[in-house]
């Protein structure tokens, strides 16, 4: 090679060496720079990420608080369950695993062998397993447990419209579960576990744990015994009348507490319809109109108007009718026989402001404030929006809409001497340690009418039940006060549906010292649809069952003080008047005959009786038969009776608590 060629070759080598040195220097600078960046500027970030890869955060779900009735009967509880997954390749002793699955978890031998087959990598066993089963099996290798907290309702379907529910992912679905979610939910915690190179988790005391905070327990005003009785009574009434649905409320007029709330609708109840679905009340609004006349001094019960023979055209050309023809009627008798003409003739004595103001004071047209996720305020038109017939319509229960709850509270004011109470569904909230955190005391909203006026209305309502339109709600041993109503029903288009009615009874018991306000509403009963023929009998059956069951919801000593003296059959039936024949419809006199109602309140001890054989009966029918024996009933499951505790033939005494278990077939 020539000297020039050698020189060129050497020069190229030197150039390559320089380029290599420069490249190495640049790479070194980049590496050092990146190292400075990672350790100096981003060190905390990457150290945290490395720690995160070596740790696993495991959630610790909080236990949802329980819901109890007023006496501590559990209505909604949270139980600990476990889901089990198997990794067959990790099992140390397959035969031992099969024995455990069969003996403890009650799997069949064949199912247990399939679940532990080495051909399978991962098996999730169906169903949920109890904490006792989890403890009995222990921490066997290859058994992977997942703890879950599930909501359940030990009293079955009774009261579920009040309670609501919980979705699979823990969200509250209506009812008190939703209304009280903030109190019940608690706050989830977590634990941190180390994770080895294979991803397996190991507990370590050196890593942080944030304990879950369990939810608080809530005690409702609901009395489960009364709720169960109301549920059975309304269900039987809907079945017997062919109604599309209905509501039954029991409240304490002295405190405003809701003791029982039952609502049934076609296709199932989505909540307490008595709180959220207003309707035109019809004649049950008449006592409130009469109380307005008395409270404002515009009329007395003894003043008379002419009944016009059952048909009258007012000065504005509107025709008013009664079911039966009447001549002269006092205001007292017009209310007792539910005369539309009698009511309308007293309307001019009140100004629109007076009529509107009293209805508003009774709580119509505004929410009651009940502790429930949703509530309707109903509708009460302002006087500046009235038409000429509005005053007459309001006096007879039309052109306004009210919820059954509003109506029951208004009658509660008549019962307690004239004071409107705020409704209560929650009595108190307790922490997990049992200490009371919050107590809800009764609250008066306002005085609506003077006590003397409330007493006058009560006396008239007693006669409504004794020999007016509501005799089928009467008890021979105690006085019941109340009023029936039969109102036309509006359809989806806002127009009245031909031949469709809402039938209502509202009243209080016992009349002279009320402990219960009761409201029964039936939606579109078939056949006989008058409130006196449909809703009033439900009231009597409900009160009979309450007296027979000796529910703690009643003060028995005070109740006995209001018991009527023994009457002869002739007097119990009342003195016949020269009035239309009895039919139970509004505007008709109905004469009550003697019966055995109320004898169950007799304080003398009764001899034990044999437990009846209830096998195969619907749970509702079985509960009613047992209530008639004067015992308390707990229902487990649904459907038809599969077993009872005690068994058929065993002695039971009045006041005992019996259990009936359904098979849900």
């Amino acid at each position: 090679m020539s000297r020039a060629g050698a020189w060129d070759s050497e020069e190229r080598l030197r150039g390559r060496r320089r380029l290599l040195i420069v490249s190495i220097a640049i790479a070194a600078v980049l590496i050092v720079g990146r190292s400075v960046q990672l350790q100096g500027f981003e060190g905390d970030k990457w150290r945290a990420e490395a720690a995160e890869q070596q740790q696993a955060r495991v959630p610790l779900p909080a236990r949802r608080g329980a819901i109890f009735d007023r006496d501590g009967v559990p209505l909604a509880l949270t139980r600990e369950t476990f889901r089990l997954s198997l990794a067959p390749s990790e099992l140390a002793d397959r035969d031992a695993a099969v024995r455990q699955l069969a003996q403890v978890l009650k799997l069949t031998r064949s199912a247990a062998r399939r679940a532990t087959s080495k051909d399978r990598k991962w098996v999730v066993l169906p169903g949920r397993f109890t904490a006792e089963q989890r403890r009995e099996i222990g921490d066997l290798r290859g058994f992977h447990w997942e703890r879950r907290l599930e909501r359940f309702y030990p009293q079955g379907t009774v009261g579920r419209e009040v309670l609501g529910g919980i979705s699979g992912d823990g969200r509250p679905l209506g009812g008190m579960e939703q209304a009280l979610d903030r109190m019940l939910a608690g706050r989830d915690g977590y634990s941190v576990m180390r994770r080895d190179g294979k991803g397996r988790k190991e507990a370590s005391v050196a890593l942080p744990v944030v304990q879950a905070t369990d939810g608080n327990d809530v005690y409702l005003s609901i009395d489960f015994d009364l709720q169960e009785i109301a549920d059975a009574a309304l269900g039987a009434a809907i079945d017997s009348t062919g109604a599309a649905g209905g509501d039954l409320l029991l409240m304490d007029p002295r405190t405003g507490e809701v003791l029982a709330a039952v609502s049934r609708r076609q296709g199932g109840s989505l909540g307490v319809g008595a709180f959220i679905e207003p309707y035109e009340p019809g004649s049950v609004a008449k006592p409130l109109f009469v109380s307005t006349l008395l409270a404002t001094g515009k009329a007395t019960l003894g003043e008379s108007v002419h009944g016009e023979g059952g048909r009258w055209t007012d000065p504005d050309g509107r025709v008013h009718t009664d079911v039966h023809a009447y001549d002269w009627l006092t205001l007292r008798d017009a209310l007792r026989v539910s005369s539309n003409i009698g009511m309308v003739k007293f309307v001019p004595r009140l100004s629109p402001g007076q009529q509107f103001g009293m209805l508003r004071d009774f709580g119509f047209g505004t929410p009651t404030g009940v502790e429930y996720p949703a509530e309707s305020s109903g509708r009460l038109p302002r006087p500046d929006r009235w038409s000429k017939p509005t005053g007459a319509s309001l006096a007879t229960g039309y052109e306004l809409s009210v919820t059954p709850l509003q109506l029951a509270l208004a009658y509660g004011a008549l019962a307690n001497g004239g004071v409107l109470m705020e409704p209560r569904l929650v009595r108190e909230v307790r922490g997990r340690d049992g200490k009371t955190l919050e107590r809800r005391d009764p609250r008066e909203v306002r005085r609506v009418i003077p006590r003397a006026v409330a007493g006058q209305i009560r006396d008239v309502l007693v006669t409504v039940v004794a020999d007016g339109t509501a005799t089928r709600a009467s008890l021979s041993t105690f006085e019941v006060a109340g009023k029936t109503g039969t109102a036309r029903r509006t359809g989806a288009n806002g127009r009245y549906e031909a031949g469709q009615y809402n039938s209502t009874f509202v009243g209080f018991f016992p009349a002279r010292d009320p402990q219960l306000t009761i409201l029964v509403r039936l939606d579109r009963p078939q056949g006989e649809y008058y409130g006196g023929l449909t809703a009033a009998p439900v009231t009597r059956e409900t009160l009979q069952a309450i007296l027979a069951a000796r529910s703690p919801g009643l003060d028995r000593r005070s109740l006995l003080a209001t018991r009527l003296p023994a009457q002869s059959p002739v007097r119990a039936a009342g003195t016949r008047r020269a009035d239309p024949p009895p039919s139970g419809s509004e505007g008709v006199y109905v004469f009550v005959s003697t019966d055995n109602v109320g004898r169950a309140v007799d304080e003398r001890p009764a001899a034990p009786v044999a437990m009846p054989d209830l096998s195969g009966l619907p749970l509702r029918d079985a509960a009613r038969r047992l209530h008639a024996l004067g015992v308390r009933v707990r229902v487990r499951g649904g459907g038809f009776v599969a077993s009872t505790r005690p068994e058929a033939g065993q002695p039971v005494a009045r006041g005992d608590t019996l259990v009936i278990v359904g098979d849900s077939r």
Side-chain angles (χ1 to χ4, degrees), residues 298-347:
K298 300 299 182 179
T300 65
L301 290 176
E303 292 188 60
S304 298
V305 292
H306 197 270
E308 306 293 344
R311 184 179 180 86
W312 177 61
T313 303
D314 67 22
D316 295 320
R318 189 180 186 188
V319 177
H320 304 274
T321 61
D322 285 332
V323 175
H324 291 283
Y326 301 104
D327 291 326
W328 286 96
L329 288 168
T330 64
L331 180 57
R332 177 185 290 103
D333 283 338
L335 177 57
R336 180 167 58 86
V337 300
S338 199
S339 168
N340 295 322
I341 295 172
M343 294 294 109
V344 171
K345 284 197 169 185
F346 280 98
V347 168

Side-chain angles (χ1 to χ4, degrees), residues 518-553:
I518 182 168
L519 179 144
V520 178
R521 184 188 75 90
L522 294 175
D523 178 13
R524 289 172 285 182
Q526 303 303 302
E528 295 178 332
Y529 55 82
Y530 284 112
L533 299 174
T534 55
V538 183
T539 301
R540 176 160 62 182
E541 292 172 6
T542 303
L543 294 176
Q544 283 177 325
I546 293 172
L547 291 170
R550 306 179 63 78
S551 168

Side-chain angles (χ1 to χ4, degrees), residues 439-509:
R439 189 185 303 277
R440 307 277 179 92
D441 295 321
R443 192 178 79 85
E444 296 182 1
V445 178
R446 68 181 72 87
R447 172 165 288 282
V448 184
I449 54 176
R451 180 175 293 275
V453 171
Q456 289 179 286
I457 298 297
R458 175 204 61 206
D459 292 342
V460 179
L461 295 182
V462 168
T463 67
V464 171
V465 176
D467 63 358
T469 64
T471 57
R472 296 195 184 190
S474 65
L475 301 175
S476 64
T477 314
F478 298 95
E479 285 184 325
V480 180
K483 182 74 179 71
T484 59
T486 308
R488 298 176 65 186
R489 195 182 189 284
T490 54
N493 58 4
R495 296 181 178 276
Y496 291 116
E497 298 177 318
Q500 302 297 323
Y501 298 88
N502 282 306
S503 302
T504 307
F505 175 88
V506 199
F508 41 92
F509 164 84

